[in-house]
Coordinates of all heavy atoms in Angstrom, one line a residue:
M1 N 120.8 -37.9 108.0 CA 120.8 -37.2 109.2 C 119.8 -37.8 110.2 O 120.1 -38.0 111.3 CB 120.5 -35.7 108.9 CG 120.3 -34.9 110.1 SD 121.9 -34.3 110.6 CE 121.4 -33.2 111.8
A2 N 118.6 -38.1 109.7 CA 117.6 -38.6 110.5 C 118.0 -40.1 110.9 O 117.7 -40.5 112.1 CB 116.2 -38.6 109.8
S3 N 118.6 -40.8 110.0 CA 119.0 -42.2 110.4 C 120.1 -42.2 111.4 O 120.1 -43.1 112.3 CB 119.5 -42.9 109.1 OG 120.6 -42.3 108.6
A4 N 120.9 -41.2 111.4 CA 122.0 -41.1 112.5 C 121.3 -40.8 113.8 O 121.8 -41.4 114.9 CB 122.9 -40.0 112.1
I5 N 120.3 -40.0 113.9 CA 119.6 -39.8 115.1 C 118.9 -41.0 115.6 O 119.0 -41.4 116.8 CB 118.6 -38.6 115.0 CG1 119.3 -37.3 114.6 CG2 117.7 -38.5 116.2 CD1 118.4 -36.2 114.3
V6 N 118.3 -41.8 114.7 CA 117.6 -43.0 115.1 C 118.6 -44.0 115.6 O 118.4 -44.7 116.7 CB 116.8 -43.6 113.9 CG1 116.3 -45.0 114.2 CG2 115.7 -42.7 113.5
R7 N 119.8 -44.2 114.9 CA 120.8 -45.1 115.4 C 121.3 -44.7 116.8 O 121.6 -45.6 117.6 CB 122.0 -45.2 114.4 CG 121.7 -46.1 113.2 CD 122.9 -46.2 112.3 NE 122.7 -45.1 111.4 CZ 123.7 -44.5 110.7 NH1 125.0 -45.0 110.9 NH2 123.5 -43.5 109.9
S8 N 121.5 -43.5 117.0 CA 122.0 -43.0 118.3 C 121.1 -43.3 119.4 O 121.5 -43.7 120.5 CB 122.3 -41.5 118.2 OG 122.6 -41.0 119.5
S9 N 119.8 -43.1 119.1 CA 118.8 -43.4 120.2 C 118.7 -44.9 120.4 O 118.4 -45.3 121.5 CB 117.4 -42.8 119.8 OG 117.0 -43.3 118.6
I10 N 118.8 -45.7 119.4 CA 118.8 -47.2 119.5 C 120.0 -47.6 120.4 O 119.8 -48.4 121.3 CB 118.7 -47.9 118.2 CG1 117.4 -47.6 117.5 CG2 119.0 -49.4 118.3 CD1 117.3 -48.1 116.1
R11 N 121.2 -47.1 120.1 CA 122.3 -47.5 120.9 C 122.2 -47.1 122.3 O 122.5 -47.9 123.2 CB 123.6 -46.8 120.3 CG 124.1 -47.4 119.0 CD 125.4 -46.8 118.6 NE 125.6 -47.1 117.2 CZ 126.1 -46.3 116.4 NH1 126.4 -45.0 116.7 NH2 126.3 -46.6 115.1
S12 N 121.7 -45.9 122.6 CA 121.5 -45.5 124.0 C 120.5 -46.4 124.7 O 120.6 -46.7 125.9 CB 121.2 -44.0 124.1 OG 119.9 -43.8 123.6
A13 N 119.4 -46.8 124.0 CA 118.4 -47.7 124.6 C 119.0 -49.1 124.9 O 118.7 -49.7 125.9 CB 117.2 -47.8 123.6
L14 N 119.9 -49.6 123.9 CA 120.5 -50.9 124.2 C 121.5 -50.8 125.3 O 121.7 -51.8 126.0 CB 121.2 -51.3 122.9 CG 120.3 -51.7 121.7 CD1 121.1 -52.1 120.5 CD2 119.4 -52.9 122.1
R15 N 122.1 -49.7 125.5 CA 123.1 -49.6 126.6 C 122.3 -49.5 128.0 O 122.9 -49.6 129.0 CB 123.9 -48.3 126.5 CG 125.1 -48.6 125.6 CD 126.0 -47.4 125.6 NE 125.9 -46.8 124.2 CZ 126.0 -45.5 123.9 NH1 126.2 -44.7 124.9 NH2 125.8 -45.1 122.7
G16 N 121.0 -49.4 127.9 CA 120.2 -49.5 129.1 C 120.0 -48.2 129.8 O 119.9 -48.1 131.0
G17 N 120.0 -47.2 129.1 CA 119.7 -45.9 129.8 C 119.0 -44.9 129.0 O 118.9 -45.0 127.8
V18 N 118.6 -44.0 129.7 CA 118.0 -42.8 129.0 C 119.1 -41.9 128.7 O 120.1 -41.8 129.4 CB 117.0 -42.1 130.0 CG1 116.4 -40.9 129.3 CG2 116.0 -43.1 130.5
S19 N 119.1 -41.3 127.6 CA 120.2 -40.4 127.2 C 120.3 -39.3 128.2 O 119.4 -38.6 128.6 CB 119.9 -39.8 125.8 OG 118.8 -38.9 125.9
R20 N 121.5 -39.3 128.7 CA 121.8 -38.3 129.8 C 122.5 -37.1 129.1 O 123.6 -37.2 128.6 CB 122.8 -38.8 130.8 CG 122.1 -40.0 131.6 CD 123.1 -40.4 132.6 NE 122.6 -41.7 133.2 CZ 123.3 -42.5 133.9 NH1 124.6 -42.3 134.0 NH2 122.7 -43.6 134.4
R21 N 121.8 -36.1 129.0 CA 122.3 -34.9 128.4 C 122.6 -33.9 129.5 O 121.9 -33.8 130.5 CB 121.3 -34.2 127.4 CG 121.0 -35.2 126.3 CD 119.9 -34.6 125.4 NE 120.4 -33.5 124.6 CZ 119.7 -32.8 123.8 NH1 118.4 -33.0 123.8 NH2 120.2 -31.8 123.1
A22 N 123.6 -33.1 129.3 CA 124.0 -32.1 130.3 C 122.9 -31.0 130.2 O 122.4 -30.7 129.1 CB 125.4 -31.5 130.0
P23 N 122.5 -30.5 131.4 CA 121.5 -29.4 131.3 C 122.1 -28.2 130.5 O 123.2 -27.9 130.6 CB 121.3 -29.1 132.8 CG 122.5 -29.6 133.5 CD 123.0 -30.7 132.7
A24 N 121.2 -27.7 129.8 CA 121.6 -26.5 129.0 C 122.0 -25.4 129.9 O 121.2 -25.0 130.8 CB 120.5 -26.1 128.0
S25 N 123.1 -24.8 129.6 CA 123.5 -23.7 130.5 C 122.8 -22.4 130.0 O 122.4 -22.3 128.8 CB 125.0 -23.4 130.3 OG 125.4 -23.1 129.0
K26 N 122.5 -21.6 130.9 CA 121.8 -20.3 130.6 C 122.7 -19.4 129.8 O 123.8 -19.2 130.2 CB 121.3 -19.7 131.9 CG 120.5 -18.5 131.7 CD 120.0 -17.8 133.0 CE 119.3 -16.6 132.7 NZ 118.9 -15.9 133.9
R27 N 122.2 -18.9 128.7 CA 123.0 -18.0 127.9 C 123.0 -16.6 128.6 O 121.9 -16.1 129.0 CB 122.4 -17.9 126.5 CG 122.5 -19.2 125.8 CD 121.8 -19.1 124.4 NE 122.5 -18.0 123.6 CZ 122.2 -17.7 122.4 NH1 121.2 -18.3 121.8 NH2 122.9 -16.8 121.7
S28 N 124.1 -16.0 128.6 CA 124.1 -14.6 129.1 C 124.5 -13.7 128.0 O 125.5 -13.9 127.3 CB 125.2 -14.5 130.3 OG 126.5 -14.8 129.8
F29 N 123.7 -12.8 127.8 CA 123.9 -11.8 126.7 C 124.6 -10.6 127.2 O 124.6 -10.4 128.5 CB 122.5 -11.4 126.1 CG 121.8 -12.6 125.4 CD1 120.8 -13.2 126.1 CD2 122.2 -13.0 124.2 CE1 120.2 -14.3 125.5 CE2 121.6 -14.1 123.6 CZ 120.5 -14.7 124.2
A30 N 125.0 -9.8 126.3 CA 125.7 -8.6 126.8 C 124.8 -7.6 127.5 O 125.2 -6.9 128.4 CB 126.3 -7.8 125.6
S31 N 123.5 -7.6 127.2 CA 122.6 -6.7 127.9 C 122.2 -7.2 129.3 O 121.6 -6.5 130.1 CB 121.3 -6.5 127.1 OG 120.6 -7.8 127.0
S32 N 122.6 -8.4 129.6 CA 122.3 -8.9 131.0 C 123.4 -8.8 131.9 O 123.4 -9.5 132.9 CB 121.8 -10.4 130.8 OG 122.9 -11.2 130.5
S33 N 124.4 -8.0 131.6 CA 125.4 -7.8 132.6 C 124.9 -7.0 133.8 O 123.8 -6.5 133.7 CB 126.6 -7.0 131.9 OG 126.2 -5.7 131.5
H34 N 125.7 -7.0 134.8 CA 125.2 -6.5 136.1 C 125.4 -5.0 136.3 O 125.7 -4.6 137.4 CB 125.7 -7.3 137.2 CG 125.4 -8.7 137.2 ND1 124.3 -9.2 136.5 CD2 126.0 -9.8 137.7 CE1 124.2 -10.5 136.6 NE2 125.3 -10.9 137.3
H35 N 125.4 -4.2 135.3 CA 125.6 -2.8 135.5 C 124.2 -2.1 135.6 O 123.2 -2.7 135.3 CB 126.4 -2.1 134.4 CG 125.7 -2.1 133.1 ND1 125.7 -3.2 132.3 CD2 125.1 -1.1 132.4 CE1 125.0 -2.9 131.2 NE2 124.7 -1.7 131.2
D36 N 124.2 -0.9 136.0 CA 122.9 -0.3 136.3 C 122.3 0.3 135.0 O 122.9 1.3 134.5 CB 123.1 0.8 137.4 CG 121.9 1.4 137.9 OD1 120.8 0.8 137.7 OD2 121.9 2.4 138.6
E37 N 121.2 -0.2 134.6 CA 120.6 0.2 133.3 C 120.0 1.6 133.5 O 120.0 2.4 132.5 CB 119.6 -0.8 132.8 CG 120.1 -2.0 132.3 CD 120.3 -3.1 133.3 OE1 119.9 -2.9 134.5 OE2 120.9 -4.1 133.0
A38 N 119.6 1.9 134.7 CA 118.9 3.2 134.9 C 120.0 4.3 134.8 O 119.7 5.4 134.2 CB 118.3 3.3 136.3
A39 N 121.2 4.1 135.3 CA 122.2 5.1 135.1 C 122.6 5.3 133.7 O 122.9 6.4 133.2 CB 123.5 4.7 136.0
E40 N 122.7 4.2 132.9 CA 123.0 4.3 131.5 C 121.9 5.1 130.7 O 122.2 5.9 129.9 CB 123.1 2.9 130.9 CG 123.6 2.8 129.5 CD 125.1 3.1 129.4 OE1 125.8 3.1 130.5 OE2 125.6 3.3 128.3
A41 N 120.6 4.8 131.1 CA 119.5 5.5 130.4 C 119.6 7.0 130.8 O 119.3 7.9 129.9 CB 118.2 4.9 130.8
A42 N 119.9 7.3 132.0 CA 120.0 8.7 132.5 C 121.1 9.4 131.7 O 121.0 10.6 131.4 CB 120.2 8.8 134.0
K43 N 122.2 8.7 131.5 CA 123.4 9.3 130.8 C 123.0 9.7 129.4 O 123.2 10.8 128.9 CB 124.5 8.3 130.8 CG 125.7 8.9 130.0 CD 126.8 7.8 129.9 CE 126.5 6.8 128.8 NZ 127.6 5.9 128.5
W44 N 122.3 8.8 128.7 CA 121.9 9.1 127.3 C 120.8 10.1 127.2 O 120.7 10.8 126.3 CB 121.5 7.8 126.6 CG 122.7 7.0 126.2 CD1 123.2 5.9 126.8 CD2 123.7 7.4 125.2 NE1 124.4 5.5 126.2 CE2 124.7 6.4 125.2 CE3 123.7 8.4 124.3 CZ2 125.8 6.5 124.3 CZ3 124.8 8.4 123.4 CH2 125.8 7.5 123.4
E45 N 120.0 10.2 128.3 CA 119.0 11.2 128.3 C 119.6 12.6 128.4 O 119.2 13.5 127.7 CB 118.0 11.0 129.5 CG 116.9 12.0 129.5 CD 115.9 11.7 130.7 OE1 116.3 10.9 131.6 OE2 114.9 12.4 130.7
K46 N 120.6 12.7 129.2 CA 121.4 14.0 129.4 C 122.1 14.3 128.1 O 122.1 15.5 127.6 CB 122.4 13.9 130.5 CG 121.7 13.8 131.9 CD 122.7 13.6 133.0 CE 122.0 13.3 134.3 NZ 123.0 12.9 135.3
I47 N 122.7 13.3 127.4 CA 123.4 13.5 126.1 C 122.4 14.0 125.1 O 122.7 14.9 124.3 CB 124.1 12.3 125.7 CG1 125.3 12.0 126.6 CG2 124.6 12.4 124.2 CD1 125.9 10.6 126.4
T48 N 121.2 13.4 125.1 CA 120.1 13.9 124.1 C 119.7 15.3 124.3 O 119.6 16.1 123.4 CB 118.9 12.9 124.2 OG1 119.3 11.6 124.0 CG2 117.8 13.3 123.3
Y49 N 119.5 15.7 125.6 CA 119.1 17.0 125.9 C 120.2 18.0 125.6 O 120.0 19.1 125.0 CB 118.7 17.2 127.4 CG 117.4 16.5 127.7 CD1 117.2 15.8 128.9 CD2 116.3 16.6 126.8 CE1 116.0 15.2 129.2 CE2 115.1 15.9 127.1 CZ 114.9 15.3 128.3 OH 113.7 14.7 128.5
A50 N 121.5 17.6 125.8 CA 122.6 18.5 125.4 C 122.7 18.7 123.9 O 122.9 19.8 123.4 CB 123.9 18.0 126.0
G51 N 122.4 17.6 123.2 CA 122.4 17.7 121.7 C 121.3 18.6 121.2 O 121.5 19.4 120.3
I52 N 120.1 18.5 121.8 CA 119.0 19.3 121.4 C 119.3 20.8 121.6 O 119.1 21.6 120.8 CB 117.7 18.9 122.2 CG1 117.2 17.6 121.7 CG2 116.6 20.0 122.0 CD1 116.1 17.0 122.5
V53 N 119.9 21.1 122.8 CA 120.2 22.5 123.1 C 121.3 23.0 122.2 O 121.2 24.1 121.6 CB 120.7 22.6 124.6 CG1 121.3 24.0 124.9 CG2 119.5 22.4 125.6
G54 N 122.3 22.2 121.9 CA 123.4 22.6 121.0 C 122.9 22.8 119.6 O 123.3 23.8 119.0
C55 N 122.0 21.9 119.1 CA 121.5 22.1 117.7 C 120.6 23.3 117.7 O 120.6 24.1 116.6 CB 120.7 20.9 117.3 SG 121.8 19.5 117.0
T56 N 119.8 23.6 118.7 CA 118.9 24.8 118.7 C 119.8 26.1 118.7 O 119.4 27.0 118.0 CB 118.0 24.7 120.0 OG1 117.3 23.5 120.0 CG2 117.1 25.9 120.0
I57 N 120.8 26.1 119.5 CA 121.7 27.3 119.5 C 122.4 27.5 118.2 O 122.4 28.6 117.6 CB 122.7 27.2 120.6 CG1 122.0 27.3 122.0 CG2 123.8 28.2 120.5 CD1 122.9 27.0 123.2
L58 N 122.8 26.4 117.6 CA 123.5 26.5 116.3 C 122.5 27.0 115.2 O 122.8 27.8 114.4 CB 124.1 25.2 115.9 CG 124.8 25.1 114.5 CD1 126.1 26.0 114.6 CD2 125.2 23.7 114.2
A59 N 121.3 26.5 115.2 CA 120.3 26.9 114.3 C 119.9 28.4 114.5 O 119.8 29.1 113.5 CB 119.0 26.1 114.4
A60 N 119.8 28.8 115.7 CA 119.5 30.2 116.0 C 120.6 31.2 115.5 O 120.3 32.2 114.9 CB 119.2 30.4 117.5
V61 N 121.8 30.8 115.7 CA 123.0 31.6 115.2 C 123.0 31.6 113.7 O 123.2 32.7 113.1 CB 124.3 31.0 115.8 CG1 125.5 31.7 115.1 CG2 124.4 31.2 117.3
N62 N 122.8 30.5 113.1 CA 122.8 30.5 111.6 C 121.7 31.3 111.0 O 121.8 31.9 110.0 CB 122.8 29.0 111.1 CG 124.2 28.4 111.2 OD1 125.2 29.1 111.4 ND2 124.2 27.1 111.3
L63 N 120.5 31.2 111.6 CA 119.3 31.9 111.0 C 119.3 33.3 111.3 O 118.7 34.1 110.7 CB 118.0 31.2 111.6 CG 117.8 29.8 111.1 CD1 116.6 29.2 111.7 CD2 117.6 29.8 109.5
S64 N 120.1 33.8 112.4 CA 120.1 35.2 112.7 C 121.1 36.0 111.8 O 121.0 37.2 111.8 CB 120.5 35.4 114.2 OG 121.8 35.0 114.4
K65 N 122.0 35.3 111.2 CA 122.9 35.9 110.3 C 122.2 36.4 109.0 O 121.2 35.8 108.6 CB 124.0 35.0 109.8 CG 125.0 34.6 110.9 CD 126.0 33.6 110.4 CE 127.0 33.2 111.5 NZ 127.9 32.2 111.0
G66 N 122.6 37.5 108.5 CA 122.1 38.0 107.3 C 122.5 37.1 106.1 O 123.5 36.4 106.2
H67 N 121.8 37.2 105.0 CA 122.2 36.5 103.8 C 122.3 37.6 102.7 O 121.6 38.6 102.7 CB 121.2 35.4 103.5 CG 119.8 35.9 103.3 ND1 119.0 36.0 104.3 CD2 119.1 36.2 102.2 CE1 117.8 36.4 103.9 NE2 117.9 36.6 102.6
P68 N 123.1 37.3 101.7 CA 123.3 38.3 100.7 C 122.1 38.4 99.7 O 121.5 37.4 99.4 CB 124.6 37.8 99.9 CG 124.6 36.4 100.2 CD 124.0 36.2 101.6
H69 N 121.8 39.6 99.3 CA 120.8 39.8 98.3 C 121.5 40.2 97.0 O 122.2 41.2 97.0 CB 119.8 40.9 98.7 CG 119.0 40.5 99.9 ND1 117.8 39.9 99.8 CD2 119.2 40.6 101.2 CE1 117.3 39.6 101.0 NE2 118.1 40.1 101.9
Y70 N 121.2 39.5 96.0 CA 121.9 39.7 94.7 C 120.9 40.5 93.8 O 119.7 40.5 94.0 CB 122.2 38.4 94.0 CG 123.2 37.6 94.8 CD1 122.8 36.5 95.5 CD2 124.5 37.9 95.0 CE1 123.6 35.7 96.3 CE2 125.4 37.2 95.7 CZ 125.0 36.1 96.4 OH 125.8 35.3 97.2
D71 N 121.5 41.2 92.8 CA 120.7 41.9 91.8 C 119.9 40.9 91.0 O 120.3 39.8 90.9 CB 121.6 42.8 90.9 CG 122.3 43.8 91.7 OD1 121.8 44.3 92.7 OD2 123.5 44.2 91.3
E72 N 118.8 41.4 90.4 CA 118.0 40.6 89.6 C 118.8 40.2 88.3 O 119.6 41.0 87.8 CB 116.8 41.3 89.1 CG 115.8 41.5 90.2 CD 115.1 40.2 90.6 OE1 114.9 39.4 89.8 OE2 114.9 40.0 91.9
P73 N 118.8 39.0 87.9 CA 119.5 38.6 86.7 C 118.8 39.3 85.5 O 117.7 39.7 85.5 CB 119.3 37.1 86.6 CG 118.1 36.8 87.4 CD 118.0 37.8 88.4
P74 N 119.6 39.5 84.4 CA 119.1 40.2 83.3 C 117.9 39.3 82.6 O 117.9 38.1 82.7 CB 120.2 40.3 82.3 CG 121.3 39.5 82.9 CD 121.0 39.2 84.3
A75 N 117.0 40.0 82.1 CA 115.9 39.3 81.4 C 116.3 38.8 80.1 O 116.2 39.5 79.1 CB 114.7 40.3 81.3
Y76 N 116.8 37.6 80.0 CA 117.2 37.1 78.7 C 115.9 36.7 77.9 O 115.0 36.1 78.4 CB 118.0 35.8 78.9 CG 119.3 36.1 79.6 CD1 119.5 35.6 80.9 CD2 120.3 36.8 79.0 CE1 120.7 35.9 81.6 CE2 121.5 37.0 79.6 CZ 121.7 36.6 80.9 OH 122.9 36.8 81.5
P77 N 115.9 37.0 76.6 CA 114.7 36.8 75.8 C 114.4 35.3 75.6 O 113.2 35.0 75.5 CB 115.0 37.5 74.5 CG 116.5 37.6 74.5 CD 116.9 37.7 75.9
Y78 N 115.4 34.5 75.7 CA 115.1 33.0 75.5 C 114.5 32.3 76.7 O 114.2 31.2 76.6 CB 116.4 32.3 75.0 CG 117.5 32.4 76.0 CD1 117.6 31.5 77.0 CD2 118.5 33.4 75.8 CE1 118.7 31.6 77.9 CE2 119.6 33.5 76.7 CZ 119.7 32.6 77.7 OH 120.7 32.7 78.6
M79 N 114.5 33.0 77.8 CA 114.0 32.4 79.0 C 112.5 32.6 79.2 O 111.9 32.0 80.1 CB 114.7 32.9 80.3 CG 116.2 32.5 80.3 SD 117.0 33.0 81.7 CE 116.3 31.9 83.0
H80 N 111.9 33.5 78.4 CA 110.5 33.8 78.6 C 109.7 33.7 77.3 O 109.1 34.6 76.9 CB 110.4 35.2 79.2 CG 109.0 35.5 79.8 ND1 108.6 34.9 81.0 CD2 108.0 36.3 79.5 CE1 107.4 35.4 81.3 NE2 107.0 36.2 80.4
I81 N 109.9 32.6 76.6 CA 109.3 32.4 75.3 C 107.8 32.0 75.5 O 107.5 31.1 76.3 CB 110.0 31.3 74.5 CG1 111.4 31.7 74.2 CG2 109.2 31.0 73.3 CD1 112.2 30.6 73.6
R82 N 106.9 32.8 74.9 CA 105.5 32.5 74.9 C 105.0 32.4 73.5 O 104.9 33.3 72.8 CB 104.7 33.6 75.6 CG 105.1 33.8 77.1 CD 104.6 32.7 77.9 NE 104.8 33.0 79.3 CZ 105.7 32.5 80.1 NH1 106.5 31.6 79.6 NH2 105.9 32.8 81.3
N83 N 104.7 31.1 73.0 CA 104.2 30.9 71.7 C 102.7 31.1 71.6 O 102.1 31.4 70.6 CB 104.5 29.5 71.2 CG 106.0 29.4 71.0 OD1 106.7 30.3 70.6 ND2 106.5 28.2 71.1
K84 N 102.0 31.0 72.7 CA 100.6 31.1 72.8 C 100.2 31.8 74.1 O 100.9 31.5 75.2 CB 100.0 29.7 72.7 CG 98.5 29.6 72.8 CD 98.1 28.1 72.7 CE 96.7 27.9 73.0 NZ 96.3 26.5 73.0
E85 N 99.2 32.6 74.1 CA 98.9 33.3 75.4 C 98.3 32.3 76.4 O 97.6 31.4 76.0 CB 97.8 34.4 75.0 CG 98.4 35.7 74.5 CD 99.2 36.4 75.5 OE1 98.8 36.5 76.7 OE2 100.3 36.9 75.1
F86 N 98.5 32.6 77.6 CA 97.9 31.8 78.7 C 96.4 32.3 78.8 O 96.1 33.4 78.5 CB 98.6 32.0 80.0 CG 99.9 31.4 80.1 CD1 101.0 32.2 80.5 CD2 100.1 30.1 79.8 CE1 102.3 31.6 80.6 CE2 101.4 29.5 79.9 CZ 102.5 30.3 80.3
P87 N 95.5 31.4 79.2 CA 94.1 31.8 79.4 C 94.0 32.9 80.5 O 93.0 33.7 80.5 CB 93.4 30.5 79.9 CG 94.3 29.4 79.5 CD 95.7 30.0 79.5
W88 N 94.9 33.0 81.4 CA 94.8 34.0 82.5 C 95.6 35.2 82.3 O 95.6 36.1 83.1 CB 95.2 33.3 83.8 CG 96.6 32.7 83.8 CD1 97.8 33.3 83.9 CD2 96.8 31.3 83.5 NE1 98.8 32.4 83.7 CE2 98.2 31.2 83.5 CE3 96.0 30.2 83.3 CZ2 98.8 29.9 83.3 CZ3 96.7 29.0 83.1 CH2 98.0 28.9 83.1
G89 N 96.2 35.4 81.1 CA 96.9 36.6 80.8 C 98.3 36.4 80.4 O 98.8 35.3 80.2
P90 N 99.0 37.5 80.1 CA 100.4 37.3 79.5 C 101.4 36.8 80.6 O 102.4 36.2 80.2 CB 100.7 38.7 79.1 CG 99.9 39.6 79.9 CD 98.6 38.9 80.2
D91 N 101.1 37.0 81.8 CA 102.1 36.5 82.9 C 101.8 35.1 83.3 O 100.7 34.6 83.0 CB 102.0 37.4 84.1 CG 102.5 38.8 83.7 OD1 103.3 39.0 82.9 OD2 101.9 39.8 84.4
G92 N 102.7 34.4 83.9 CA 102.5 33.1 84.4 C 101.4 33.1 85.5 O 101.1 34.2 86.1
L93 N 100.9 32.0 85.9 CA 99.8 31.9 86.9 C 100.3 32.4 88.2 O 99.6 33.1 88.9 CB 99.3 30.5 87.0 CG 98.1 30.2 87.9 CD1 96.9 31.1 87.4 CD2 97.8 28.8 87.9
F94 N 101.5 32.1 88.6 CA 102.0 32.5 89.9 C 103.1 33.6 89.8 O 103.7 34.0 90.8 CB 102.6 31.3 90.6 CG 101.6 30.2 90.9 CD1 101.7 29.1 90.1 CD2 100.7 30.4 91.8 CE1 100.8 28.1 90.3 CE2 99.7 29.4 92.0 CZ 99.8 28.2 91.3
E95 N 103.2 34.2 88.6 CA 104.1 35.3 88.5 C 103.4 36.6 88.8 O 102.3 36.8 88.3 CB 104.7 35.4 87.1 CG 105.6 34.2 86.8 CD 106.1 34.2 85.4 OE1 106.0 35.3 84.7 OE2 106.6 33.2 84.9
V96 N 104.0 37.5 89.5 CA 103.4 38.8 89.7 C 104.4 39.9 89.2 O 105.6 39.9 89.5 CB 103.3 39.1 91.3 CG1 102.7 40.4 91.5 CG2 102.4 38.0 91.8
K97 N 103.9 40.6 88.2 CA 104.7 41.7 87.6 C 104.7 42.9 88.5 O 103.6 43.3 89.0 CB 104.1 42.1 86.3 CG 104.5 41.2 85.2 CD 105.8 41.6 84.6 CE 106.0 40.9 83.3 NZ 107.3 41.0 82.7
H98 N 105.8 43.4 88.9 CA 105.9 44.6 89.7 C 105.9 45.8 88.7 O 106.8 45.9 87.9 CB 107.2 44.6 90.5 CG 107.2 43.4 91.5 ND1 106.4 43.4 92.6 CD2 107.9 42.3 91.6 CE1 106.6 42.3 93.3 NE2 107.5 41.6 92.7
H99 N 104.9 46.6 88.8 CA 104.8 47.8 87.9 C 105.6 48.9 88.4 O 105.8 49.3 89.5 CB 103.4 48.1 87.7 CG 102.6 47.0 87.1 ND1 102.5 46.8 85.8 CD2 101.8 46.1 87.7 CE1 101.8 45.7 85.6 NE2 101.3 45.3 86.7

């Protein structure tokens, strides 16, 4: 690869000239098109605010609905096995017995 570059530069020197390369054309990216970026940003700002309002309303409606309260499950004896007393008493540390 390097030898090809050296040979090419030697040939151009023997031909009597400096290598004439075409000037590199300026690359144009999609973001450099000539539309108004401020209008695009304003559009997405409005869409964002509309989404925030919509999600807030949906959350308020869902949270304002009641939810079902079920009866306490039966106290199965195999779910509360205590082989040794806890140092803080017969109940769990965060369990509160309703008397």
Side-chain angles (χ1 to χ4, degrees):
M1 174 87 174
S3 62
I5 295 171
V6 171
R7 276 185 274 156
S8 173
S9 60
I10 290 173
R11 283 187 197 140
S12 68
L14 290 176
R15 274 187 251 148
V18 180
S19 65
R20 295 182 189 162
R21 298 174 75 186
S25 62
K26 183 179 177 187
R27 293 178 63 179
S28 63
F29 296 102
S31 65
S32 67
S33 62
H34 299 335
H35 67 282
D36 191 11
E37 287 89 7
E40 189 74 14
K43 176 184 81 170
W44 282 105
E45 184 180 10
K46 290 174 188 171
I47 290 172
T48 301
Y49 289 141
I52 290 171
V53 169
C55 289
T56 303
I57 290 171
L58 182 65
V61 167
N62 284 338
L63 292 174
S64 66
K65 292 180 182 178
H67 57 275
H69 291 271
Y70 300 105
D71 296 331
E72 289 290 324
Y76 296 111
Y78 58 84
M79 293 182 73
H80 198 70
I81 296 174
R82 300 285 189 255
N83 292 330
K84 181 179 169 184
E85 281 291 319
F86 290 126
W88 51 83
D91 297 327
L93 184 61
F94 299 107
E95 294 176 14
V96 177
K97 279 277 196 185
H98 298 287
H99 299 278

